[in-house]
Amino acid sequence: MIRNSRNKVINVLLSFALILAIVTSLSIPLYAISFSDLDNHWAKSYIERVSDYKAISGYPDGSFKPEDHVKRIEFISIILKSQGISVRDRTPGEYWGQPYIEAAIKSGLIRSNEYGIANEVKFEKYISREEMSSIVVNAYTRSGGTVDPAKFDSARSSLGDFDSVKRSYYDNSVASVALDFISGYPDGTFAPKQNATRAQAAIVSYRLLLKQNIIKDADLPVNIVLSKTKLQQGDLLRLTVYHVDKANKISIVQNLFPDFVWYEDGDVLRGYIPTNYNSKPGVYSLRFNDEKTGNISTKYVEILPRDFRVQYLKVDPNIESSTRTEEANAEYRKYFNPSRDFSSPVKYYSEPFMLPVAGRVTTEFGETRTVNGAPTSYRHAGIDIAASLNTKILAANRGKVTLAMPLILTGNSIVIDHGEGLFSVYFHLEKLHVSQGEMVEKGQLIGTVGSTGFSTGPHLHFTMSYYRTNIEPGFIIYGKSITKANYHELMK
């Protein structure tokens, strides 16, 4: 009887201890070597490397949540841990971050009035990029680091929105760029008020440790990232490999696209696998071999089927007989096909793509056709957008014109190379406003809507391709297919 009572008491105490541990872990950072949600994330190698130094915190479920915004107190704790700055023990019932706040103020990472009244509410708010830059530069200079005046001046003129930085953060924001702790965005901005993510915080911590020579080996493990693991027919799969220096160090075995090639960009490799209406739905393996280390890894992607529409088209017999001829096909093969054979190995563009004209979608990507009662053997390679005659057509993005000429089959036609194998195609134009070899900017006038070639009325046939493989332009521009049903919603 006494033994049973004693066991019950022990069980109650153990249960209480477990509950206390769980409750405590919900508020106090959990440090781990690896995290469950980093596979296929671009910052994986940085996060895991910094984790080796017990500088970053995860969650009790083993996740890191890299795209969540990071709180002020979380970033402060990351930097304190990375710098080995001692933090007193927390007293019972005290806000878990209080010892970190005191240590940060004492060590000069933040001012005592940095965020106004130093309380839990203020420190639980998300940290901005300018606030983050201030803390990391303070940590660096505290350890004896200095900023090269020439690099400071260069950084100050490198980004266009430093004038919007809070005055008290200005010098450290510029210094953070000069020291390569924080990078600007492709559009040339620093975005000082933008909230930082947990992934960004980990990278800043890594760069600080590297700059201080605490991390002595700059080599990071190769990180392979797929743009998605499920894609519909017509989508473009992007592959990015971080932390490599030569294209021949990562080889890939796959049976989706035989002409796969890597593009080098510093220590990053990019590659593309296009799919279209001919791609068979199913699960495919991508086997990567790191030739430097011998490591082999396999990732899987699934191609999902699409329900392509059927279009019944009536065309003036005179137009059909004059444009769908062997002469027209031979001309098309001679001039159009080669226009997509060679692409710049360097991307011409840095901004997102745009739809070149507004109007009404009349034909979707991948549709089969019956022309004047006879089924065709081909699929529709792009989207048709009906618009008034001579409506302006704008370049979908920056690139180099590889074709600008009239063709019997497609009328006045334009092809633009955007680099790394990506092309945009424009058919049936009324007028051409660009010439072959010309560089065009995103949104530049390149022509007007017409009905030249094999056409039933004024419209733009627009498509995109990876070399000669046609892809659904909607996935490039909007991340989803463009249909008659969703077109007006996408245009809002």
Side-chain angles (χ1 to χ4, degrees):
M1 189 77 171
I2 295 174
R3 182 180 299 173
N4 291 338
S5 299
R6 183 180 300 165
N7 288 340
K8 288 181 179 179
V9 171
I10 292 173
N11 288 335
V12 169
L13 290 174
L14 288 174
S15 299
F16 177 76
L18 178 61
I19 293 171
L20 181 61
I22 292 173
V23 170
T24 303
S25 68
L26 291 174
S27 56
I28 298 177
L30 174 71
Y31 298 96
I33 294 175
S34 61
F35 303 96
S36 62
D37 57 348
L38 293 184
D39 188 39
N40 214 41
H41 191 277
W42 61 273
K44 180 177 187 289
S45 296
Y46 292 105
I47 295 168
E48 291 183 345
R49 188 67 187 275
V50 175
S51 175
D52 294 339
Y53 291 82
K54 308 298 182 185
I56 56 176
S57 58
Y59 291 90
D61 64 357
S63 66
F64 185 76
K65 299 179 176 56
E67 293 307 311
D68 282 5
H69 290 142
V70 63
K71 297 177 181 178
R72 288 167 171 168
I73 190 60
E74 288 175 329
F75 185 72
I76 287 170
S77 71
I78 288 172
I79 297 302
L80 288 170
K81 291 285 185 180
S82 74
Q83 300 300 290
I85 298 174
S86 61
V87 178
R88 68 169 176 81
D89 293 336
R90 185 172 65 102
T91 60
E94 183 182 36
Y95 168 49
W96 77 266
Q98 188 59 39
Y100 292 94
I101 296 171
E102 294 173 7
I105 294 173
K106 184 177 179 180
S107 61
L109 297 187
I110 61 172
R111 303 182 303 276
S112 59
N113 63 342
E114 185 89 11
Y115 312 114
I117 300 173
N119 58 25
E120 178 178 347
V121 174
K122 295 289 186 180
F123 282 85
E124 287 291 320
K125 290 185 178 298
Y126 296 132
I127 195 167
S128 67
R129 283 166 58 85
E130 63 182 3
E131 293 169 350
M132 185 168 67
S133 69
S134 178
I135 292 172
V136 69
V137 171
N138 285 338
Y140 180 66
T141 55
R142 171 191 175 276
S143 66
T146 58
V147 184
D148 184 334
K151 290 185 177 180
F152 184 90
D153 290 340
S154 176
R156 181 163 47 191
S157 60
S158 66
L159 300 175
D161 61 344
F162 274 134
D163 57 349
S164 62
V165 174
K166 187 177 179 180
R167 181 173 298 179
S168 59
Y169 292 136
Y170 181 85
D171 285 347
N172 277 6
S173 291
V174 175
S176 72
V177 175
L179 293 165
D180 196 33
F181 291 146
I182 299 179
S183 304
Y185 288 103
D187 63 355
T189 62
F190 182 72
K193 312 301 180 185
Q194 185 180 98
N195 291 327
T197 66
R198 291 171 56 79
Q200 291 171 337
I203 290 175
V204 168
S205 176
Y206 168 83
R207 290 174 174 172
L208 172 62
L209 292 170
L210 190 64
K211 184 75 70 173
Q212 293 174 319
N213 206 31
I214 295 173
I215 291 179
K216 298 184 184 301
D217 181 9
D219 288 341
L220 289 166
V222 165
N223 182 22
I224 301 168
V225 177
L226 308 183
S227 58
K228 56 186 66 177
T229 56
K230 292 180 183 290
L231 57 160
Q232 288 187 327
Q233 291 169 303
D235 203 348
L236 180 70
L237 178 66
R238 295 177 174 86
L239 297 78
T240 308
V241 184
Y242 297 93
H243 320 306
V244 293
D245 50 15
K246 294 293 181 183
N248 61 2
K249 292 211 179 148
I250 301 294
S251 59
I252 178 173
V253 177
Q254 49 82 33
N255 58 1
L256 267 170
F257 186 65
D259 299 320
F260 182 85
V261 63
W262 288 116
Y263 298 95
E264 297 183 51
D265 184 4
D267 66 346
V268 174
L269 296 180
R270 280 189 296 270
Y272 306 88
I273 295 179
T275 71
N276 65 11
Y277 26 77
N278 295 319
S279 301
K280 184 179 178 180
V283 177
Y284 296 81
S285 64
L286 308 174
R287 186 172 179 266
F288 299 91
N289 178 26
D290 185 338
E291 297 178 7
K292 180 179 179 180
T293 64
N295 292 336
I296 296 175
S297 60
T298 302
K299 291 179 179 285
Y300 297 90
V301 295
E302 182 179 6
I303 297 180
L304 304 174
R306 285 180 60 181
D307 185 17
F308 293 108
R309 299 167 61 97
V310 178
Q311 184 182 49
Y312 298 91
L313 198 63
K314 290 185 178 181
V315 182
D316 184 325
N318 293 325
I319 293 177
E320 184 177 13
S321 62
S322 63
T323 59
R324 300 179 75 190
T325 64
E326 181 51 43
E327 179 189 0
N329 290 330
E331 180 189 56
Y332 184 85
R333 291 190 297 268
K334 180 179 180 180
Y335 294 104
F336 173 70
N337 287 349
S339 70
R340 300 184 296 172
D341 282 345
F342 300 99
S343 177
S344 166
V346 178
K347 288 198 306 181
Y348 288 125
Y349 65 96
S350 59
E351 299 179 19
F353 280 79
M354 61 176 282
L355 201 64
V357 71
R360 177 174 57 88
V361 173
T362 56
T363 313
E364 299 175 4
F365 176 83
E367 286 191 11
T368 55
R369 275 177 169 172
T370 296
V371 178
N372 294 340
T376 60
S377 60
Y378 61 87
R379 299 266 194 161
H380 193 245
I383 59 171
D384 285 347
I385 304 174
S388 301
L389 189 67
N390 279 321
T391 300
K392 292 181 179 179
I393 297 173
L394 311 179
N397 215 328
R398 187 173 189 271
K400 186 176 184 179
V401 178
T402 61
L403 179 76
M405 65 180 296
L407 297 173
I408 298 170
L409 185 62
T410 56
N412 288 323
S413 305
I414 295 174
V415 177
I416 299 176
D417 171 28
H418 301 286
E420 294 189 348
L422 197 59
F423 292 83
S424 58
V425 178
Y426 315 75
F427 287 160
H428 310 299
L429 281 66
E430 177 68 15
K431 296 177 182 177
L432 299 173
H433 288 277
V434 292
S435 302
Q436 184 174 332
E438 182 179 342
M439 287 296 301
V440 296
E441 300 299 324
K442 176 184 175 181
Q444 179 179 328
L445 176 66
I446 59 174
T448 60
V449 171
S451 186
T452 56
F454 180 68
S455 172
T456 59
H459 75 286
L460 171 68
H461 172 97
F462 171 65
T463 196
M464 298 196 69
S465 70
Y466 182 70
Y467 290 101
R468 291 193 185 188
T469 303
N470 298 312
I471 52 180
E472 155 80 69
F475 287 115
I476 305 298
I477 301 171
Y478 301 112
K480 61 178 65 177
S481 60
I482 299 174
T483 66
K484 295 177 181 179
N486 72 3
Y487 171 74
H488 291 293
E489 184 65 28
L490 293 174
M491 294 296 287
K492 289 181 179 178

